[in-house]
């Protein structure tokens, strides 16, 4: 069957549906209508129906969605029914914080190794996993079937390290370095910039403040 191209905007909303459905499932909720889900998630019911229609709809009209089924289907779409093996490159503040965060493993992202060029970090344990020197990476990637590399190194070295990782067979990069990586077709890159989110927050504070100032000025007239 030919696969329909799904927009990135829809894909980016799926993890949020997945989180909410996981919570509903944990609370023992069996069925939910798009209207109820809409109120819970503060998105319109038509948005939810449109998003789900990309995948065949999932639900029966007038009957609502089966929470567990929907959760499982979205999990499959997101590839969370498979296990992924990760390595972290750059075991500094951010690399260690990610390494210490256990929750990713619940979703099938298994941390296998940490690497750093700083000899002072060699052997340091993060959740029981020792930091290794960079010259071990190639062999480690092949032997441990690593598919995702997390890049938490400065941007100056990220491009060259990404190329090296691809040559070892890495299929995906979760990139925290502030630089665009140019990788061959077929290699997936997801850039994460926490500061983008902070700037969005700053914009919203600004917008709210200026709208309120304007409305207070309007009232005073
Ligand atoms: P850090 O200085 O604590 O850690 C960086 C680590 O990378 C160090 O342990 C260093 O030895 C290692 N390293 C440097 N060059 C390397 C190379 N060529 N090969 C292997 N290891 C190498 O810095 P921190 O705070 O952990 O940040 C790491 C990077 O992530 C920084 O470049 C920072 O700008 C970026 N960052 C990105 C964020 C985001 O939202 N995208 C948020 C915070 C930091």
């Amino acid at each position: 069957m030919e696969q329909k191209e799904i927009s990135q905007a829809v894909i980016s909303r799926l993890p949020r549906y997945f989180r909410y459905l996981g919570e509903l499932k944990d609370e023992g909720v069996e069925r939910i209508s798009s209207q109820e889900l809409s109120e819970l998630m503060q998105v319109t019911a038509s948005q939810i129906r449109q998003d789900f229609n990309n995948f065949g709809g999932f639900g029966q009209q007038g009957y609502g969605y089966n929470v567990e089924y929907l959760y499982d289907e979205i999990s499959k779409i997101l590839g969370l029914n498979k296990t992924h093996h990760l390595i972290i490159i750059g075991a500094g503040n951010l690399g260690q914080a990610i390494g210490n965060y256990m929750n990713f493993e619940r979703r099938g992202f298994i941390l296998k190794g940490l690497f750093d060029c700083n000899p002072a970090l060699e052997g340091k344990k993060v959740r029981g996993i020792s930091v290794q020197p960079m010259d071990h990476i190639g062999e480690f990637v092949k032997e441990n079937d690593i598919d995702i590399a997390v890049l938490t190194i400065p941007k100056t070295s990220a491009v060259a390290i990404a190329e090296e990782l691809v040559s070892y067979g890495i299929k995906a990069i979760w990139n925290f370095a502030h630089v665009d990586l140019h990788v061959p077709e077929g290699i997936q890159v997801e850039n994460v910039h926490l500061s983008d989110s902070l700037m969005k927050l700053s914009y919203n504070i600004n917008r709210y403040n200026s709208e309120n100032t304007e409305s207070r000025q309007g009232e005073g007239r």
Side-chain angles (χ1 to χ4, degrees), residues 97-107 109 127:
I98 292 173
N100 273 314
Y101 185 58
M102 292 283 289
N103 223 17
F104 298 134
E105 313 223 321
R106 274 183 54 214
R107 302 273 175 250
F109 298 98
R127 242 181 343 105

Coordinates of all heavy atoms in Angstrom, one line a residue, residues 97-107 109 127:
A97 N 23.1 15.1 31.8 CA 21.7 15.2 32.3 C 20.8 14.3 31.4 O 19.9 13.7 32.0 CB 21.3 16.7 32.1
I98 N 21.0 14.3 30.1 CA 20.2 13.4 29.3 C 20.4 11.9 29.7 O 19.5 11.1 29.8 CB 20.5 13.6 27.8 CG1 20.0 15.0 27.4 CG2 19.9 12.6 26.9 CD1 20.4 15.5 26.0
G99 N 21.7 11.6 29.9 CA 22.0 10.2 30.3 C 21.4 9.8 31.6 O 21.0 8.6 31.8
N100 N 21.2 10.8 32.5 CA 20.6 10.5 33.8 C 19.1 10.4 33.8 O 18.5 10.0 34.7 CB 21.0 11.5 34.8 CG 22.4 11.2 35.4 OD1 22.6 10.0 35.8 ND2 23.3 12.1 35.5
Y101 N 18.5 10.8 32.7 CA 17.1 10.8 32.6 C 16.5 9.5 32.2 O 16.7 9.1 31.0 CB 16.6 11.9 31.6 CG 15.1 12.1 31.6 CD1 14.4 12.4 32.7 CD2 14.4 12.0 30.4 CE1 13.0 12.6 32.7 CE2 13.0 12.1 30.4 CZ 12.3 12.4 31.5 OH 11.0 12.6 31.5
M102 N 16.0 8.8 33.1 CA 15.6 7.4 32.9 C 14.4 7.2 32.0 O 14.2 6.2 31.4 CB 15.2 6.7 34.3 CG 16.3 6.6 35.2 SD 17.3 5.2 34.8 CE 16.2 3.8 35.2
N103 N 13.5 8.2 31.9 CA 12.2 8.0 31.3 C 12.2 7.7 29.9 O 11.3 7.0 29.4 CB 11.4 9.3 31.5 CG 10.0 9.0 31.9 OD1 9.7 7.9 32.4 ND2 9.1 10.0 31.7
F104 N 13.3 8.0 29.2 CA 13.4 7.7 27.7 C 13.3 6.2 27.5 O 12.9 5.7 26.5 CB 14.7 8.2 27.1 CG 14.8 9.7 27.1 CD1 16.0 10.3 27.5 CD2 13.8 10.5 26.8 CE1 16.1 11.7 27.6 CE2 13.9 11.9 26.8 CZ 15.0 12.5 27.2
E105 N 13.9 5.4 28.5 CA 13.9 4.0 28.4 C 12.5 3.4 28.3 O 12.3 2.4 27.7 CB 14.8 3.4 29.4 CG 16.1 4.2 29.6 CD 17.4 3.4 29.7 OE1 17.3 2.4 30.4 OE2 18.4 3.8 29.1
R106 N 11.6 4.0 29.1 CA 10.2 3.5 29.1 C 9.7 3.5 27.7 O 8.7 2.8 27.3 CB 9.4 4.4 29.9 CG 9.4 4.0 31.4 CD 8.4 5.0 32.2 NE 7.1 5.0 31.6 CZ 6.3 6.1 31.7 NH1 6.8 7.2 32.2 NH2 5.1 6.1 31.2
R107 N 10.2 4.4 26.8 CA 9.7 4.6 25.5 C 10.5 3.8 24.5 O 10.4 3.9 23.3 CB 9.7 6.0 25.0 CG 8.9 6.9 25.9 CD 7.5 7.0 25.4 NE 6.7 7.8 26.4 CZ 5.8 7.2 27.2 NH1 5.5 5.9 27.1 NH2 5.0 8.0 28.0
F109 N 14.0 3.9 24.2 CA 15.3 4.5 23.8 C 16.3 4.0 24.9 O 16.3 4.6 26.0 CB 15.2 6.0 23.8 CG 14.2 6.5 22.7 CD1 12.9 6.8 23.1 CD2 14.6 6.5 21.4 CE1 12.0 7.3 22.1 CE2 13.6 6.9 20.4 CZ 12.4 7.3 20.8
R127 N 24.7 6.8 35.4 CA 23.7 5.7 35.5 C 24.4 4.3 35.3 O 23.8 3.5 34.6 CB 22.5 5.9 34.6 CG 21.3 6.0 35.5 CD 20.0 6.2 34.8 NE 19.9 6.7 33.5 CZ 19.6 5.8 32.5 NH1 19.4 4.6 32.7 NH2 19.6 6.3 31.3

